[in-house]
Amino acid sequence: MASCWRTKSTTIPAGAAIQESSVRNTFVFGPFRLDALQRRIERDGSPIQLSARAFDILLALIRQAGNVVRKSDLIAKTWPDGGVDENSLRVYIAALRKALGDGHAGAKYLTTISGQGYCFVGSLSSPDQQKPAPARSNYSHNLPIHPRQFVGREQSVQDISDRLKAQRFVTVVGPGGIGKTTVVVSTGHALLAEFAGQVYFVSFGETSDAALVPAIAASSLGLAAGPNDAASSLVAFLRDKRMLVILDCCEHVIEAAASLAERLYKEAPDLHIVATSRELLRVEGEHTYRLSPLASPPEKAILTAASARAYPAVELFVERATAAGGEFALTDANASDVGNLCRRLDGIPLAIELTAGHVGTYGAGAMVQLLDNQFNLLWEGRRTVLPRHRTLRATIEWSYNLLSETERVILGRLSVFVGGFTLDAARSTAGFEEDDNTVLAIIDSLVAKSILASNTGPQSTRYRLPDTTRAYARDKLAASADVEAMARRHACYFLALLEKLGERDFWAVADQFGNIRSALAWCFSAQGDREIGIALATASIPLFFRLSLLTECQLWATRAIDALDQTAGSVKHGLALHAALGWARTLAGQFDDLGIASLSPALELAERHGDLPSQVRLIDRLHLLQLFSGKFDDALGTARRGEAIALKSNDRAALARMRVALGISCHYLGDVAASRLYIEAALSRSGLDVDEELTLDHPGRAQITLARILWLQGYPDQAMATVQKAVADLITVNHPIMRCRALLWAFDVFYWAEELASYEHLIDGLLAETHQHNLVALQIVGEAMKGIALLARGATDSGIPMLRSSVEKLQYHRFGAVAGLCVPLAAALSAAGRGDEALDTIDQAIAQSRHCNFLMEMPDMLRVRAETLARKAGSDVVKAEQILEQSLEVAQQQGALGYELRTAISLARLLQRQGRRQDAYATLASVSNRFTEGFHTRSLKTARELLAELGPPRSGSLAAS
């Protein structure tokens, strides 16, 4: 630890001065790591909370580590606007010592040099000598960005963190605008390490529909579930997980939020919950943390600028007033007025911010008089409002009353927007009685007065009303004659925008989806317009799929379909809505009859009106859903029906699609030869651009299917070349759902060829993408693939649990081909000595496959069952041999030479252990000699080595090349 001593004119550290500290931006001392550029300090990898002033003081001391920094220099550096004395500095030094644990357990970082200043005496080390802090990108949380400006809430974060660890369920209660969201987001960041990154943020702030609460929570955690089963899906997902879930902004959907929170608390024993609300949820397990206002000066206090800044409310006021750009400085003359303002605003951060934005115009003294007069009148005149609204409502109303009448009218109209909106949206919706110049001037004025926020991003400027201001303005709009007209104009604006943009320009409105959701909610409300709602739901379908909002797609499509009969909606709308509902259920992993029942009416509509292209698209979707749900015979019939329609329409691209569908169906049913005929027929169509025409499911669909067939038929080199080219082409596809599906379909070729080492990085990328876009069903399949890859490189301890978990989830979703994933799982269990589990797993898979005619992997299922029997103590060798012979017979019937070789190797080894070397040699050679390529693949190398063990090469034996 460095120490300080004085000479006549200067103070220097013992030993050489630490010159490097003045230029470094990252400093490590004890368990702390400070990043000056990111303005972030961590303790053992977890962020700790410091106010902006405290951070600046600590950084200044660290940059002069070992040297005394005079008090006057610290004040000048930290408060460049002046007007602060040493008392304020002492307050921040005390806060720093508390945050660093200075003086506890022997730790010493700051020391006071009497009469001069302060010195940082901690031992600094180079960042590269320390274990780096956990990379934040490794965490899978969805927390908003950590707040940079954080005044007076450090202790609250610590208290809430401690209570959560001890009590599991904490509701942060306080009036609107007091900073509940900021505090819980900061708490979430502080607890990332405690929960291994498993911290998730759920905001109900942009919905007024309580029915959406479970679905929004499920979507925020990456789950795709229907509106009716979202809560159950959440419980099933969270039941055995240790996570922290933040439920933010519960007050306006409190019954639904309370019900969901209580159920999660009861049924997920390792789940920790922190909620924010203006009132208690009043449910079992809830512990309350009442967020206090920021500390303000007491009434009638005589303040100086220095003593006033010791109070967090004043510190916030000064920061916001300075940021507003007005000519404001805290002085001894106005300190008492500022203290009075903060106290009269009850220390509520939002109220302080709204007020501070105007202080440069009116002055602190005049604002006190305005606030006192109007505040008292409003308090006396608004006794009927809810208590939690009174203080903030009074503050907002005071700001509102500073506006002109025209500004008030436009502000009320703008409250129809949820989240961000464009200038064009504002003019089209709010300016129906005023000209464009007037609307533009009013919007500029509202921005200048901090009522309306603006943000210039990569697209056009977006405007946004703070939620509390919007709520107040919304009440004003509801009391006016404009309310219905605004809702209608708002919905019509976004309907026209979506219809104009089309599918390719969806990014232009993606950030305004809250407005589309709000418009849909109004359309299907008691006061809404169902015809606009049907058209808007239809126009929103591409956006739903692009944003992977599958649950919401189902919700609004269902409501629009229900309204079709009431409004005599168009055939075009009905066809699109039914198709979207069925396809959304499919992609969300709901492989059930409801999805089929949704696609069937759309297909009937297309047939009734002779729409052949729509029929082909719908049949392709129905075919895929039948495959996913395990209706393999039905899928074959559907594909044949589609082929007939395509032939009738003389549409070559449609015919190619249907022949790919037929090829895939035959593949699942174990008819390898027929599958190849259909796929090659599709690919050989003269003039057909396969990459563009065969993209209804995903690009490369035909080529990847062909690669799978080639491997099964015993052409591993051709299979790998085909699939590698298809995968290389997929990397540039800008469509998450299509790309992920294609990569999953390609996986088996790499797995069969035992080439997963070159594919595992693609699985990792796929998992990141499915998580990002909430493609839950695809993510589960991807996790299964990852588990298989782990097993392939010997990571049994992690591979088996991951693969087993994925299989169980897919069984829950009724995924038809889940039996195929049981093959590597059973094989791994058997190899790990868990024979009974392996037999149960593979027997269930075989029974399920026979029930639904999923024969594609039957030879491999039988092989693994036989190997498991042979490996068990007291094994039934005769039974194992019979099953292996059955596996060979099934593979021969299917034309699956690749599977024949796997089984032949297993049977040869079993016969070898019995001393039947000649039978073993004959069995293996009869299969391996039929290969004409792939002699460097692992399976054929294994066969060649085993044949060498069994006896001398005979005529016609496997080539050694």
Side-chain angles (χ1 to χ4, degrees):
M1 180 178 296
S3 62
C4 300
W5 55 279
R6 287 174 287 168
T7 65
K8 289 188 293 183
S9 60
T10 185
T11 306
I12 62 173
I18 304 177
Q19 300 296 329
E20 187 185 5
S21 293
S22 64
V23 296
R24 287 212 312 254
N25 289 311
T26 303
F27 305 89
V28 177
F29 54 100
F32 299 98
R33 182 184 184 92
L34 183 147
D35 187 323
L37 293 179
Q38 295 188 17
R39 296 187 61 80
R40 177 182 176 86
I41 182 169
E42 299 174 345
R43 181 189 181 103
D44 294 327
S46 298
I48 63 174
Q49 309 300 324
L50 290 180
S51 68
R53 301 286 187 193
F55 187 95
D56 290 340
I57 292 169
L58 178 61
L59 181 59
L61 290 170
I62 287 178
R63 288 196 185 279
Q64 295 294 320
N67 292 311
V68 174
V69 182
R70 298 184 183 278
K71 297 175 183 178
S72 58
D73 292 341
L74 278 176
I75 291 171
K77 184 176 184 61
T78 310
W79 288 278
D81 53 343
V84 175
D85 62 14
E86 293 182 9
N87 291 330
S88 293
L89 181 59
R90 281 197 292 270
V91 171
Y92 282 95
I93 291 290
L96 273 175
R97 284 177 167 148
K98 182 176 180 180
L100 298 176
D102 195 53
H104 295 284
K108 188 65 177 174
Y109 303 109
L110 305 178
T111 189
T112 303
I113 307 301
S114 180
Q116 294 194 48
Y118 301 93
C119 178
F120 182 86
V121 294
S123 177
L124 291 173
S125 58
S126 174
D128 56 12
Q129 295 175 350
Q130 301 291 322
K131 182 180 178 181
R136 296 176 69 196
S137 59
N138 291 338
Y139 287 155
S140 61
H141 69 84
N142 68 341
L143 288 171
I145 296 173
H146 194 286
R148 289 292 178 89
Q149 296 295 332
F150 198 70
V151 177
R153 295 301 194 194
E154 296 85 355
Q155 190 59 49
S156 293
V157 169
Q158 185 62 53
D159 292 344
I160 295 169
S161 299
D162 292 342
R163 293 192 187 190
L164 271 172
K165 294 174 188 177
Q167 298 166 340
R168 280 189 55 217
F169 184 2
V170 176
T171 299
V172 179
V173 177
I178 202 167
K180 299 184 293 294
T181 299
T182 299
V183 167
V184 297
V185 168
S186 298
T187 301
H189 281 280
L191 291 175
L192 279 172
E194 173 72 18
F195 289 92
Q198 296 296 297
V199 181
Y200 288 86
F201 182 82
V202 180
S203 174
F204 301 130
E206 289 192 358
T207 183
S208 58
D209 191 341
L212 285 176
V213 164
I216 289 173
S219 176
S220 299
L221 269 70
L223 301 177
N228 297 326
D229 62 357
S232 297
S233 297
L234 269 173
V235 170
F237 176 73
L238 296 171
R239 193 184 306 278
D240 58 350
K241 292 181 173 59
R242 187 174 187 273
M243 297 171 63
L244 172 61
V245 173
I246 300 170
L247 304 178
D248 186 51
C249 200
C250 297
E251 56 267 12
H252 60 300
V253 287
I254 195 161
E255 295 296 334
S259 176
L260 177 65
E262 184 176 58
R263 183 174 178 188
L264 293 179
Y265 174 79
K266 288 181 177 179
E267 299 188 43
D270 289 327
L271 179 68
H272 292 63
I273 302 169
V274 58
T276 71
S277 177
R278 296 185 188 181
E279 60 179 328
L280 293 175
L281 301 186
R282 296 187 178 91
V283 294
E284 181 180 339
E286 180 186 32
H287 292 78
T288 306
Y289 183 89
R290 189 166 297 277
L291 190 59
S292 301
L294 294 177
S296 302
E299 189 173 1
K300 300 180 180 179
I302 304 300
L303 301 172
T304 64
S307 62
R309 296 195 77 151
Y311 295 93
V314 175
E315 181 72 9
L316 177 63
F317 187 100
V318 173
E319 285 187 3
R320 296 300 185 262
T322 303
E327 295 181 359
F328 173 79
L330 183 67
T331 65
D332 289 344
N334 65 18
S336 294
D337 287 334
V338 171
N340 285 335
L341 282 171
C342 292
R343 186 181 65 257
R344 296 298 291 153
L345 295 169
D346 289 332
I348 296 176
L350 179 59
I352 292 170
E353 292 177 19
L354 290 171
T355 306
H358 299 281
V359 70
T361 301
Y362 296 97
M367 290 183 73
V368 170
Q369 295 178 5
L370 286 169
L371 182 60
D372 281 344
N373 293 336
Q374 301 230 8
F375 189 96
N376 289 337
L377 287 173
L378 288 170
W379 187 267
E380 295 173 358
R382 299 292 182 182
R383 294 188 184 276
T384 57
V385 300
L386 292 174
R388 65 181 183 273
H389 289 164
R390 289 174 183 167
T391 301
L392 187 57
R393 184 176 182 87
T395 302
I396 296 172
E397 187 145 82
W398 168 80
S399 297
Y400 178 84
N401 287 336
L402 294 176
L403 304 177
S404 69
E405 183 59 31
T406 307
E407 287 175 328
R408 295 176 191 175
V409 170
I410 296 299
L411 176 61
R413 293 175 185 173
L414 292 176
S415 70
V416 76
F417 291 104
V418 176
F421 55 90
T422 64
L423 184 60
D424 180 63
R427 289 187 302 188
S428 299
T429 302
F432 66 92
E433 292 177 349
E434 293 76 19
D435 59 42
D436 278 355
N437 289 335
T438 301
V439 174
L440 287 172
I442 291 173
I443 288 175
D444 286 343
S445 176
L446 293 175
V447 171
K449 294 176 180 178
S450 301
I451 301 296
L452 186 65
S454 66
N455 178 47
T456 302
Q459 300 169 347
S460 61
T461 299
R462 295 293 194 262
Y463 297 89
R464 188 180 189 280
L465 279 173
D467 290 341
T468 48
T469 304
R470 176 181 176 267
Y472 175 85
R474 185 80 172 170
D475 288 344
K476 293 292 186 182
L477 177 65
S480 74
D482 292 344
V483 59
E484 184 174 342
M486 284 299 99
R488 186 179 305 278
R489 289 174 67 87
H490 178 260
C492 288
Y493 172 80
F494 283 100
L495 170 60
L497 182 64
L498 288 172
E499 290 180 338
K500 178 180 69 175
L501 289 176
E503 293 190 32
R504 295 187 180 275
D505 298 318
F506 79 100
W507 285 121
V509 293
D511 67 329
Q512 298 179 69
F513 186 77
N515 282 299
I516 296 170
R517 178 189 288 139
S518 176
L520 285 166
W522 174 80
C523 288
F524 294 107
S525 69
Q527 297 79 27
D529 188 317
R530 298 293 189 275
E531 290 187 7
I532 297 175
I534 291 169
L536 182 58
T538 304
S540 302
I541 288 170
L543 193 58
F544 287 131
F545 285 110
R546 286 284 187 171
L547 297 178
S548 300
L549 298 171
L550 303 177
T551 296
E552 292 215 36
C553 183
Q554 294 179 60
L555 174 69
W556 299 118
T558 299
R559 292 186 178 180
I561 288 169
D562 291 342
L564 280 170
D565 294 338
Q566 306 170 27
T567 60
S570 72
V571 172
K572 175 185 175 182
H573 290 153
L575 194 156
L577 290 166
H578 280 291
L581 179 58
W583 195 230
R585 291 187 65 83
T586 302
L587 294 176
Q590 295 165 285
F591 311 129
D592 52 28
D593 293 339
L594 288 177
I596 295 173
S598 300
L599 288 172
S600 297
L603 184 55
E604 291 172 7
L605 283 171
E607 290 174 340
R608 191 185 311 154
H609 291 82
D611 187 346
L612 294 177
S614 291
Q615 290 179 54
V616 171
R617 286 193 297 272
L618 288 165
I619 282 176
D620 207 2
R621 290 182 178 183
L622 180 61
H623 170 260
L624 283 170
L625 178 52
Q626 289 169 333
L627 290 179
F628 291 156
S629 57
K631 300 180 184 298
F632 300 107
D633 291 323
D634 291 347
L636 178 62
T638 297
R640 286 174 175 162
R641 176 183 175 187
E643 182 188 33
I645 293 172
L647 286 168
K648 180 180 178 180
S649 67
N650 199 29
D651 185 333
R652 294 167 59 195
L655 182 60
R657 286 193 185 98
M658 290 302 100
R659 286 183 172 162
V660 171
L662 282 164
I664 293 173
S665 277
C666 291
H667 178 32
Y668 275 100
L669 292 168
D671 192 342
V672 177
S675 178
R676 182 168 180 175
L677 287 174
Y678 281 122
I679 296 297
E680 289 183 335
L683 290 171
S684 65
R685 301 295 295 176
S686 176
L688 177 63
D689 187 340
V690 174
D691 287 337
E692 292 185 4
E693 296 294 347
L694 296 181
T695 58
L696 182 63
D697 182 19
H698 55 71
R701 184 181 178 198
Q703 293 92 331
I704 294 172
T705 306
L706 178 61
R708 294 168 66 96
I709 297 304
L710 286 169
W711 187 91
L712 289 171
Q713 288 188 322
Y715 302 105
D717 291 343
Q718 294 180 56
M720 285 302 298
T722 302
V723 78
Q724 285 172 342
K725 181 181 184 306
V727 168
D729 293 341
L730 284 170
I731 304 303
T732 59
V733 174
N734 187 25
H735 196 300
I737 293 175
M738 288 183 175
R739 183 167 56 250
C740 291
R741 278 200 43 72
L743 289 173
L744 292 175
W745 188 232
F747 172 85
D748 279 343
V749 182
F750 292 86
Y751 168 58
W752 292 333
E754 300 180 86
E755 294 287 347
L756 284 182
S758 64
Y759 194 76
E760 193 169 355
H761 72 285
L762 292 174
I763 303 174
D764 293 336
L766 180 149
L767 286 173
E769 195 156 38
T770 54
H771 177 78
Q772 177 185 352
H773 296 283
N774 292 330
L775 304 176
V776 177
L778 300 184
Q779 183 175 356
I780 297 172
V781 179
E783 289 169 352
M785 307 304 186
K786 180 66 174 180
I788 294 170
L790 290 171
L791 292 173
R793 55 183 169 87
T796 304
D797 290 344
S798 55
I800 287 179
M802 177 173 280
L803 181 54
R804 179 186 285 282
S805 174
S806 300
V807 166
E808 290 172 351
K809 291 176 185 176
L810 290 170
Q811 288 170 337
Y812 171 79
H813 284 282
R814 295 194 282 182
F815 182 63
V818 68
L821 298 173
C822 294
V823 176
L825 176 59
L829 290 169
S830 178
R834 297 157 65 176
D836 290 337
E837 290 180 66
L839 277 178
D840 287 343
T841 300
I842 201 66
D843 284 347
Q844 290 178 23
I846 291 171
Q848 179 185 351
S849 297
R850 285 173 173 163
H851 175 73
C852 63
N853 223 14
F854 174 63
L855 301 178
M856 177 178 72
E857 301 196 52
M858 185 58 71
D860 230 22
M861 294 182 194
L862 293 170
R863 175 186 63 82
V864 169
R865 185 172 193 273
E867 289 179 348
T868 302
L869 284 171
R871 184 178 280 116
K872 288 189 65 178
S875 60
D876 188 340
V877 176
V878 174
K879 181 65 173 178
E881 182 179 345
Q882 290 174 347
I883 296 173
L884 287 171
E885 289 173 348
Q886 183 184 0
S887 172
L888 275 179
E889 182 181 354
V890 173
Q892 290 165 2
Q893 291 172 352
Q894 292 184 359
L897 183 59
Y899 279 150
E900 278 191 74
L901 180 62
R902 283 186 169 190
T903 300
I905 291 172
S906 294
L907 181 56
R909 284 172 171 162
L910 182 66
L911 295 172
Q912 181 187 30
R913 288 197 295 271
Q914 299 176 55
R916 298 162 60 185
R917 298 171 61 86
Q918 187 171 351
D919 291 343
Y921 189 96
T923 297
L924 182 54
S926 67
V927 175
S928 61
N929 286 344
R930 287 154 54 199
F931 280 81
T932 59
E933 65 176 57
F935 301 117
H936 296 285
T937 62
R938 292 188 184 182
S939 293
L940 285 170
K941 283 183 178 179
T942 299
R944 185 165 61 244
E945 292 167 359
L946 184 54
L947 286 170
E949 292 179 20
L950 292 170
R954 301 180 182 181
S955 177
S957 65
L958 176 65
S961 125

